[in-house]
Amino acid sequence: MFENLTTRLGRVLDSIRGQGRLTEEQIAAASRELRMALLEADVALPVVKDFIDKVRTRALGVEITQSLTPGQEFLRVVQQELTATLGGVTEPLNLRAQPPAIILMAGLQGAGKTTSTGKLALWLKEQKKKVIVVSGDVYRPAAIEQLRIVAGNVGVEFFPSAVGQNPVDIARAALAEARKQYADVLIVDTAGRTTVDEEMMTEIAALHAALDPVETLFVVDSMTGQDAANTARAFADRLPLTGVILTKVDGDARGGAALSVRQVTGKPIKFLGVGEKSDRLEVFHPDRIATRILG
Ligand code: GDP
């Protein structure tokens, strides 16, 4: 995960690690290299600019303490700014709602919504929550079937739906069932499209209005780099998103999506998908990811 970025940043930091004292020129040179590394990682340009400005300003103003060398100070500044860019603090999943807490899953087709629904269901089940999942994808019977199988595999209840039904009717029926069974959480998977289109947005906005979910999670493929952040913003313009699940991070050597999403959308990343299997879900901790990126 993010190996390319780690290698590039490692080189920049190595170049100043041994320095006794950092001059303005050295900081400028290191900042240029940092900028290149982030652009290569496909981080969105405004995010790169902001990051570099902050690192440079802070590095110039840094007080050299007794305990740290200038190189170490620079590393500390980069680490802190990386953490801030990734969102600063961990934003946990919010289930503070009259049960059942409703989680609405949104995203483009193939982003990993159904897989992530199963992962989230398992994660919640492991916390002793009673979970029901339902699919509102009334266009693709295969999607409903996929969710049924995933639910069976992770051992949570699947509320059946069928092609041709109205997604809002399905969601309302699932909610009634979840209430009847005193479920803790209802996760509603939705139909995606290959691109952001008006029909999909209208449909998911109607679902949102009918369900009033406590969490509306945008699921996005991290391999799409800064495009992931742009798609997230297009959704965030129409839907009050509460967080992001970044998927396929296991195959992403660059890291541009992770670094862009928070700043471009203002929405926190809450989970990472790190594999195809249902247990390959990680809670997103900005500080730990920053440490991992720095190797
Ligand atoms: P949906 O159309 O948004 O519901 O997407 P799916 O859940 O069907 O996922 C699309 C493909 O991405 C499937 O082949 C999944 O196995 C794969 N996938 C989803 N999440 C991850 C992940 O975190 N890592 C990897 N490697 N593959 C994933």
Side-chain angles (χ1 to χ4, degrees), residues 108-116 119 140 146 189 247-250 273-276 280:
L108 296 181
Q109 195 173 312
K113 275 187 307 304
T114 306
T115 308
S116 301
K119 288 176 175 179
R140 295 189 310 137
Q146 185 189 346
D189 193 8
T247 64
K248 309 185 197 180
V249 172
D250 49 310
V274 292
E276 292 191 75
R280 304 301 291 149

Side-chain angles (χ1 to χ4, degrees), residues 19-250:
Q19 306 286 343
R21 183 148 199 88
L22 284 185
T23 63
E24 224 173 296
E25 290 76 49
Q26 280 164 334
I27 290 173
S31 300
R32 274 197 300 277
E33 288 295 317
L34 267 182
R35 183 185 150 85
M36 286 301 292
L38 293 172
L39 289 175
E40 246 176 54
D42 200 23
V43 179
L45 194 55
V47 178
V48 176
K49 238 180 112 349
D50 190 60
F51 182 86
I52 299 300
D53 284 350
K54 285 187 176 139
V55 167
R56 201 204 308 243
T57 309
R58 284 191 54 196
L60 286 171
V62 110
E63 286 282 322
I64 304 302
T65 56
Q66 300 259 302
S67 51
L68 295 177
T69 65
Q72 287 169 327
E73 287 288 2
F74 190 78
L75 174 64
R76 203 167 65 101
V77 168
V78 171
Q79 158 117 30
Q80 286 173 352
E81 289 303 332
L82 267 182
T83 304
T85 303
L86 291 163
V89 293
T90 305
E91 299 252 8
L93 188 73
N94 176 15
L95 296 177
R96 289 186 301 274
Q98 179 83 5
I102 300 170
I103 303 175
L104 185 63
M105 307 290 276
L108 296 181
Q109 195 173 312
K113 275 187 307 304
T114 306
T115 308
S116 301
T117 301
K119 288 176 175 179
L120 207 49
L122 176 61
W123 186 80
L124 289 164
K125 185 187 156 192
E126 283 169 350
Q127 293 168 45
K128 307 277 175 275
K129 305 283 186 204
K130 179 173 169 52
V131 183
I132 298 184
V133 298
V134 64
S135 173
D137 192 340
V138 293
Y139 310 98
R140 295 189 310 137
I144 300 175
E145 179 60 11
Q146 185 189 346
L147 185 63
R148 191 183 66 76
I149 292 168
V150 165
N153 287 344
V154 301
V156 303
E157 183 156 336
F158 166 78
F159 184 84
S161 51
V163 166
Q165 281 180 291
N166 177 327
V168 170
D169 292 344
I170 294 171
R172 287 212 172 103
L175 177 57
E177 181 63 24
R179 283 193 179 125
K180 207 166 95 191
Q181 293 195 27
Y182 298 104
D184 299 300
V185 184
L186 171 68
I187 311 179
V188 182
D189 193 8
T190 60
R193 300 274 204 288
T194 49
T195 55
V196 178
D197 77 27
E198 195 47 40
E199 208 183 328
M200 170 178 66
M201 287 299 183
T202 306
E203 182 177 295
I204 195 154
L207 271 171
H208 187 277
L211 290 169
D212 191 22
V214 66
E215 285 277 7
T216 302
L217 300 177
F218 181 68
V219 180
V220 67
D221 179 346
S222 75
M223 307 280 278
T224 59
Q226 59 173 313
D227 264 359
N230 294 333
T231 318
R233 193 173 47 194
F235 271 76
D237 286 346
R238 287 294 300 274
L239 272 182
L241 300 181
T242 55
V244 173
I245 300 182
L246 205 56
T247 64
K248 309 185 197 180
V249 172
D250 49 310

